[in-house]
Amino acid sequence: MMEGIYLLLGSNLGDKKNMLEQARKLISHEIGTIIKASALYETAAWGKEDQPSFYNQVVEVKSTLSAADILSQIQKIETDLGRVRLEKWGSRVIDIDILYYHDAVINDENLSVPHPGIPDRKFTLEPLVEIAPNYIHPVLKVSNQELLIKCSDSLDVKRID
């Protein structure tokens, strides 16, 4: 079992808090033990802004699965929870992204790890810094805390629980 697997959960449709709770249960069941979870954060929609705000949360998972296996489990969980992929950055009941998989750097057609959006998204960095401020980005070689300080994203991110 290895630590250092960070997932970002997001929802902006329906009962968002409940949806994140359901996602955490399925992650625990299908992927591995959640060893840390950030608070929930409410954020204005990013990328496509004419939609409801998101609830986001970052969890650290302990798992023996490969990154590719985690991705396929995530897609199954998203489908089980009713995710329909209609448009890039569109509204969704659930979205789960792999942020980091240990210190691996993976770039294939289905998966980019570390997640390429990390440095530019405050809604990712705020909860990430809450649970892993000193974790070093394996490509940029700076901590999550430093990434947050340098982040130019001006969207409002507020802790809600």
Side-chain angles (χ1 to χ4, degrees):
M1 291 274 199
M2 291 174 66
E3 296 166 36
I5 301 170
Y6 292 90
L7 306 179
L8 173 70
L9 284 48
S11 174
N12 77 332
L13 292 176
D15 182 345
K16 299 181 272 199
K17 199 170 185 178
N18 181 52
M19 189 53 67
L20 295 182
E21 193 177 311
Q22 295 300 317
R24 287 192 309 272
K25 279 183 187 154
L26 289 168
I27 287 166
S28 297
H29 196 259
E30 308 292 335
I31 296 173
T33 308
I34 293 175
I35 51 178
K36 279 188 194 156
S38 74
L40 299 184
Y41 290 80
E42 184 171 17
T43 317
W46 192 96
K48 185 180 184 303
E49 287 152 35
D50 59 335
Q51 58 180 330
S53 65
F54 275 84
Y55 277 14
N56 291 108
Q57 181 176 40
V58 170
V59 295
E60 182 182 2
V61 181
K62 204 177 206 178
S63 178
T64 55
L65 297 179
S66 69
D69 287 343
I70 289 174
L71 179 64
S72 69
Q73 287 301 322
I74 282 171
Q75 290 168 339
K76 179 183 173 299
I77 289 168
E78 289 177 337
T79 302
D80 289 350
L81 291 175
R83 166 96 189 249
V84 181
R85 293 171 190 276
L86 296 173
E87 58 179 335
K88 190 172 176 70
W89 298 323
S91 292
R92 57 205 74 154
V93 291
I94 190 66
D95 184 33
I96 305 170
D97 289 329
I98 301 173
L99 298 176
Y100 295 118
Y101 183 82
H102 313 298
D103 56 0
V105 178
I106 303 165
N107 288 302
D108 68 36
E109 61 192 42
N110 300 316
L111 185 59
S112 293
V113 174
H115 191 292
I118 293 171
D120 307 315
R121 298 177 179 172
K122 215 160 111 188
F123 69 84
T124 302
L125 286 166
E126 290 270 358
L128 196 50
V129 165
E130 181 193 329
I131 64 170
N134 302 318
Y135 190 90
I136 301 296
H137 190 294
V139 176
L140 302 174
K141 306 293 184 208
V142 296
S143 70
N144 289 324
Q145 181 77 57
E146 290 170 81
L147 289 174
L148 179 59
I149 291 165
K150 293 178 186 157
C151 183
S152 60
D153 179 1
S154 61
L155 283 181
D156 200 27
V157 177
K158 70 173 193 277
R159 186 176 168 139
I160 53 170
D161 66 343

